[in-house]
């Protein structure tokens, strides 16, 4: 296990995100109070705007823009060191710019974490969610709209 | 809230050696630093009745109290969020002493990060971040998490690696003056900085603090009692903690405004209860686990406007003789990384007039704790 990529250790609030991801859907938790409806991320038990405990999971288009990125180099955990230098990005969703997800920019869903030349990564670049299976768990990855 | 202003003072400081590797245990190092601080104050260990430390500290107050021979302890406190807790330890003791819950308080930090394991390597511990949303994607270390904010900051405000170098250089230059610093007599050039290896682009080796073994402590008593101590008292003029609304820890990406960290919240409270303004601060010890924390903190604590922190570092502003000399012992970047406690003791040295990089006639010093995590700050003042 020490040389495998880490998989999400989920909690009750976060589990639906990963269950939808397994179906190839990017969904974000939203307040189900009809007077509110605010999206929130990371998932949590109640709405910070109206304190409602009712929530639903709203499907996103999967389009977004790179908000920021880093290129980690060793020392790293072995599975990550093997692909370093790779990229980690923060994507702001086109549907909801204040919802930002950490992920990886890759050339195609199942490509390695270092498949995109870091020189091609730009803040503001348009990206699209794709889904990859990692150690039996499906996680979102991101590809450039115009590679 | 005039209750805390100058009501208490730091009257003793102590530390062990700093090194990549020390043979003694964290508990032994803690006891040495605490006893040195009490000796500095001229106060017997049996008079200690208050303790404060912060999380990720392996030595608890029960062990420390019985080892040093403390009396009955009537106040003890442990502050969360790692390096964000440093200044809060002094703040909690100041509040306890000012309200009569204790009379002699000791705060300390003992750490073996140089020879011990790196905390991020343990993938099973519950880290104070929403790890399921970050770690599977290879955002593994604090340097990666802060690097993300740094890249965005550079993009939004035109900050460059030269600005980060200004920060690293100011700390290194002060460490070169400090025989206790790990980087004593080890100068750094721009070429060395620019050619050093990457850790997490845009952060290079010299943007990161030192992994250090060592311990520090300080002693807090009432201002009244401080007059009878061995050393010139250093008053706790104002103190604050900060956990902003919708804050997310070091991965503050989900906040509406990720580039305004906890410093902004702590600063508002700190200045509200102070007779001083940022213009009155003679010297500052600003938490520097990573160089980008300095421009972000300069903005948060009001030394410049939003987005102006990088430009503030230009023209030697952070050096001795500059607009705001910082981290005069060398800081976490070049003296020792002991979760910021060395910044507290260095602030005391400046106001006693005994720093190895003394700011002439320094009468006020800002000390800050870890930015990016729920934080704390102190405004210290000479009599
Ligand atoms: Zn709501």
């Amino acid at each position: 296990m020490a040389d495998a990529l880490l998989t999400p250790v989920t909690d009750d609030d976060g589990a639906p995100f990963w269950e939808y991801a397994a179906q190839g859907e990017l969904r974000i938790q939203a307040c189900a109070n009809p007077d509110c409806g605010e999206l929130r991320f990371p998932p949590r038990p109640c709405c910070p705007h109206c304190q409602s405990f009712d929530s639903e999971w709203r499907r996103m288009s999967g389009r977004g823009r790179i908000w920021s990125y880093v290129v980690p180099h060793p020392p790293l955990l072995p599975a990550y060191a093997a692909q370093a230098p790779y990229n980690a990005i923060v994507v702001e969703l086109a549907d909801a710019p204040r919802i930002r997800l950490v992920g990886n920019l890759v050339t195609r869903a199942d490509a390695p974490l270092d498949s995109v030349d870091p020189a091609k990564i730009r803040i503001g670049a348009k990206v699209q969610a794709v889904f990859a299976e990692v150690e039996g768990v499906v996680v979102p990855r991101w590809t450039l709209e115009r590679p | 809230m005039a209750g805390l202003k100058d009501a208490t003072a730091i009257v003793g400081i102590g530390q062990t050696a700093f090194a990549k590797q020390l043979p003694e245990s964290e508990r032994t190092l803690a006891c040495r630093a605490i006893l040195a601080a009490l000796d500095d104050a001229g106060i017997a260990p049996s008079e200690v009745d208050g303790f404060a430390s912060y999380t990720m500290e392996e030595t608890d107050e029960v062990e420390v109290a019985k080892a040093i021979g403390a009396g009955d302890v009537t106040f003890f406190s442990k502050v969360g969020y790692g390096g964000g807790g440093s200044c809060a330890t002094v703040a909690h003791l100041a509040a306890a002493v000012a309200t009569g819950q204790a009379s002699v308080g000791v705060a300390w930090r003992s750490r073996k990060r140089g020879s011990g394991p790196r905390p991020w390597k343990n993938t099973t511990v519950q880290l104070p971040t929403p790890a399921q949303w970050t770690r599977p994607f290879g955002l593994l270390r604090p340097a990666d998490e802060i690097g993300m904010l740094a890249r965005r900051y550079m993009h939004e405000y035109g900050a460059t690696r030269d600005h980060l170098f200004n920060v690293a250089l100011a700390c290194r230059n002060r460490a070169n003056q400090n025989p206790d610093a790990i980087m004593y007599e080890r100068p750094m050039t721009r070429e060395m900085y620019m050619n050093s290896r990457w850790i997490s682009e845009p952060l290079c080796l010299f943007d990161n603090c030192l992994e250090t073994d060592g311990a520090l402590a300080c002693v807090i008593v009432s201002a009244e009692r401080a007059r009878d101590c061995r050393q010139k008292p250093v008053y706790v003029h104002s103190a604050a903690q900060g956990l902003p609304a919708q804050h997310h820890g070091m991965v503050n990406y989900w906040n509406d405004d990720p580039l305004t960290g906890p410093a902004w919240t702590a600063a508002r409270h700190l200045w509200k209860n102070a007779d001083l303004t940022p213009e009155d601060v003679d010297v500052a010890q600003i938490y520097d686990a990573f160089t980008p924390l300095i421009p972000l903190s300069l903005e948060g604590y009001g030394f410049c406007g939003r987005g102006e922190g990088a430009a503030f570092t230009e023209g030697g502003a952070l050096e001795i003789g500059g607009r705001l000399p910082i981290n005069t012992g060398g800081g976490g970047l070049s003296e020792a990384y002991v979760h910021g406690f060395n910044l507290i003791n260095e602030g005391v040295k400046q106001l006693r007039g005994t720093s190895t990089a003394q700011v002439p006639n320094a009468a006020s010093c800002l000390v800050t704790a870890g930015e990016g995590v729920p934080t704390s700050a102190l405004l210290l003042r000479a009599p």
Side-chain angles (χ1 to χ4, degrees):
Chain A
M1 282 305 285
D3 49 7
L5 293 180
L6 299 173
T7 52
V9 179
T10 67
D11 56 8
D12 289 348
D13 296 318
F17 179 93
W18 302 107
E19 287 157 16
Y20 285 116
Q23 299 164 35
E25 293 183 5
L26 186 69
R27 288 192 184 239
I28 298 294
Q29 189 187 31
C31 180
N33 172 359
D35 297 329
C36 177
E38 289 269 353
L39 290 164
R40 60 181 188 256
F41 188 85
R44 60 194 77 128
C46 60
C47 173
H49 300 277
C50 73
Q51 286 71 43
S52 167
F53 281 77
D54 297 330
S55 73
E56 60 190 19
W57 285 79
R58 214 172 284 164
R59 186 153 187 191
M60 301 285 121
S61 68
R63 290 184 301 112
R65 284 174 181 274
I66 296 176
W67 183 82
S68 188
Y69 66 99
V70 290
V71 181
H73 293 246
L76 291 157
L77 297 172
Y80 292 88
Q83 299 186 46
Y86 57 89
N87 68 75
I89 63 175
V90 172
V91 175
E92 52 182 17
L93 298 184
D95 311 312
R98 286 187 300 177
I99 302 295
R100 306 182 186 101
L101 303 175
V102 176
N104 304 105
L105 189 67
V106 289
T107 51
R108 51 170 209 284
D110 58 351
L113 301 185
D114 61 351
S115 54
V116 174
D117 176 0
K120 290 194 172 154
I121 307 174
R122 296 271 182 277
I123 287 178
K126 290 183 178 174
V127 294
Q128 175 69 45
V130 290
F131 292 88
E133 194 180 314
V134 178
E135 307 297 330
V137 179
V138 177
V139 303
R141 298 249 188 265
W142 302 87
T143 55
L144 285 168
E145 233 172 60
R146 279 172 299 205
Chain B
M1 240 294 286
L4 207 59
K5 191 188 292 176
D6 300 327
T8 62
I10 299 176
V11 291
I13 53 175
Q15 69 188 53
T16 66
F18 303 132
K20 183 88 186 166
Q21 229 168 336
L22 294 174
E24 293 186 317
S25 71
E26 283 186 351
R27 195 189 300 175
T28 303
L29 295 172
C31 293
R32 288 196 188 282
I34 291 168
L35 290 172
L38 287 164
D39 183 56
D40 185 50
I43 293 175
S46 59
E47 290 195 67
V48 175
D49 56 5
F51 282 104
S53 62
Y54 37 135
T55 51
M56 304 184 193
E57 173 64 48
E58 299 295 323
T59 62
D60 68 45
E61 51 275 338
V62 174
E63 293 301 324
V64 167
K66 73 184 181 197
I68 67 162
D72 290 342
V73 175
T74 55
F75 180 91
F76 42 94
S77 160
K78 191 165 244 177
V79 188
Y81 306 103
S86 61
C87 292
T89 60
V90 173
H92 286 204
L93 289 172
V97 169
T99 53
Q101 297 177 79
S103 57
V104 176
V106 166
W108 83 98
R109 189 80 179 104
S110 177
R111 213 156 185 252
K112 295 191 76 169
R113 260 292 277 285
S115 56
R118 308 209 167 156
W120 56 265
K121 276 205 167 176
N122 185 344
T123 58
T124 58
V125 294
Q126 188 58 49
L127 297 169
T129 56
Q132 67 181 306
W133 311 111
T134 58
R135 287 169 68 79
F137 306 106
L139 206 67
L140 303 176
R141 308 159 297 182
D144 306 315
E145 296 168 338
I146 295 298
M148 196 72 84
L149 292 174
R151 172 90 67 185
R152 181 72 194 188
Y153 180 76
M154 294 163 102
H155 172 80
E156 272 193 39
Y157 297 118
T160 65
R161 292 191 69 213
D162 265 303
H163 291 119
L164 302 183
F165 166 67
N166 291 341
V167 170
L169 182 68
C171 293
R172 183 62 71 92
N173 286 342
R174 300 295 81 74
N176 291 163
Q177 294 172 260
N178 174 9
D180 294 329
I182 289 184
M183 292 298 177
Y184 180 58
E185 290 182 331
R186 292 175 68 182
M188 181 177 69
T189 64
R190 183 176 180 280
E191 194 185 6
M192 287 166 67
Y193 175 90
M194 292 295 171
N195 294 332
S196 72
R197 65 186 166 90
W198 292 115
I199 299 298
S200 193
E201 298 176 54
L203 302 184
C204 70
L205 179 65
F206 296 125
D207 291 312
N208 289 263
C209 58
L210 304 164
E211 301 289 355
T212 307
D213 287 6
L216 299 107
C218 71
V219 181
I220 291 106
V221 300
S222 70
E224 192 182 5
R225 166 129 195 211
R227 286 194 283 271
D228 303 325
C229 291
R230 233 174 236 168
Q231 300 282 356
K232 180 173 140 181
V234 167
Y235 295 111
V236 178
H237 181 67
S238 181
Q241 289 183 265
L243 194 175
Q246 295 298 306
H247 180 62
H248 291 277
M250 207 112 71
V251 283
N252 204 31
Y253 322 136
W254 303 300
N255 199 331
D256 283 354
D257 185 359
L259 296 181
T260 55
W264 291 75
T265 301
R268 271 194 294 276
H269 190 72
L270 189 79
W271 298 122
K272 189 180 72 190
N273 295 315
D275 296 339
L276 309 172
T277 69
E279 289 77 51
D280 301 317
V281 170
D282 296 321
V283 57
Q285 316 296 334
I286 301 180
Y287 197 92
D288 58 347
F290 307 101
T291 53
L293 299 184
I294 300 292
L296 290 170
S297 297
L298 289 169
E299 294 173 19
Y301 286 98
F303 293 102
C304 58
R306 166 96 195 235
E308 296 172 359
F312 187 99
T313 69
E314 294 169 4
L318 308 180
E319 305 281 344
I320 296 293
R323 189 166 153 204
L324 183 71
I326 65 158
N327 304 3
T328 44
L333 288 165
S334 279
E335 182 187 26
Y337 185 61
V338 197
H339 254 174
F341 210 105
N342 51 324
L343 300 172
I344 300 172
N345 282 14
E346 175 62 21
V348 171
K349 289 175 196 171
Q350 279 288 345
L351 300 183
R352 286 179 178 180
T354 60
S355 170
T356 51
Q358 185 62 42
V359 171
N361 306 312
S364 61
C365 180
L366 171 73
V367 186
T368 76
E371 169 62 342
V373 290
T375 192
S376 52
L378 294 170
L379 200 52
L380 303 178
R381 194 181 203 181

